Amino acid sequence: MIVDIGGGTTDIAIVSMNGVVTSYTIKTAGNAIDRSIAKYIQNKYKLLIGERTAEKVKIELCNLYDPNDEVTYTVKGRSLLKGLPAQIQLSEIELFKAIEDDTFAIMEAIRKVLEDAPPELVGDIYDNGLLLTGGGALLGGLTQLIKRTLGINCNIAKDAINCVAKGTGMAFGSMTTLLDGFETATVYKYR
Ligand SMILES: Nc1ncnc2c1ncn2[C@@H]1O[C@H](COP(=O)(O)OP(=O)(O)OP(=O)(O)O)[C@@H](O)[C@H]1O
Ligand SMILES: [Mg+2]
């Protein structure tokens, strides 16, 4: 079972015997999480922050497993009230609240794929755990949260951010043996 949390989408699939058994995609992933963070900070602190700042807060402060009130991060932006530069201290708990709905949506999507999967494969997944890929795999505390919420082990792929691109390249070497993904593939010739 692969859970690929990218920028635009979270793609979940169960792969077996060279083919995709079941899959599901939702539009909740890194970018949506960044937007939720910016919205929370704007609503609660009347502080306007950009996308890059929201992403940085996510990378530096995210703790989905045991967020703490005392761990904080300085967020700088522009005060909506004064129009001037301002900063606030955001805690792990506040960040958790800001992205709770997005996180829940990802958990529910994984649950749905597990529910649709043949029981014997679910047994394998239970033994082996699922594999997280994409930049979102690095969200702080995600593996522990998955374990706690869904009761299955969870591993982060080596080189999680690049492995999808690398794997796609490698898959082209097995076009004849892989059963899915190449139906509409075209070979482009560049002049
Ligand atoms: N350390 C990190 N912690 C949390 N999120 C991270 C981390 N590093 C990168 N990301 C997030 O990962 C996302 C990008 O991941 P990735 O490169 O896998 O996406 P993509 O493949 O371009 O998007 P998609 O799969 O939706 O087309 C961004 O939202 C980025 O903020
Ligand atoms: Mg991707």
Side-chain angles (χ1 to χ4, degrees), residues 14-68:
I14 293 177
V15 181
S16 176
M17 313 283 273
N18 292 353
V20 174
V21 178
T22 170
S23 68
Y24 189 53
T25 293
I26 56 167
K27 284 187 176 157
T28 304
N31 299 343
I33 290 174
D34 298 345
R35 285 195 295 273
S36 298
I37 294 169
K39 201 166 135 195
Y40 179 92
I41 292 173
Q42 183 170 337
N43 288 342
K44 179 158 181 194
Y45 293 103
K46 309 295 171 225
L47 187 76
L48 203 59
I49 63 165
E51 271 169 42
R52 299 261 310 269
T53 304
E55 183 184 30
K56 190 138 196 290
V57 175
K58 171 182 74 179
I59 291 172
E60 299 292 332
L61 191 68
C62 182
N63 182 346
L64 296 174
Y65 184 64
D66 53 356
N68 188 321

Side-chain angles (χ1 to χ4, degrees), residues 6 27 39 68 76 94 103 167 177:
K27 284 187 176 157
K39 201 166 135 195
N68 188 321
K76 294 175 183 162
E94 289 175 293
T103 311
T177 41

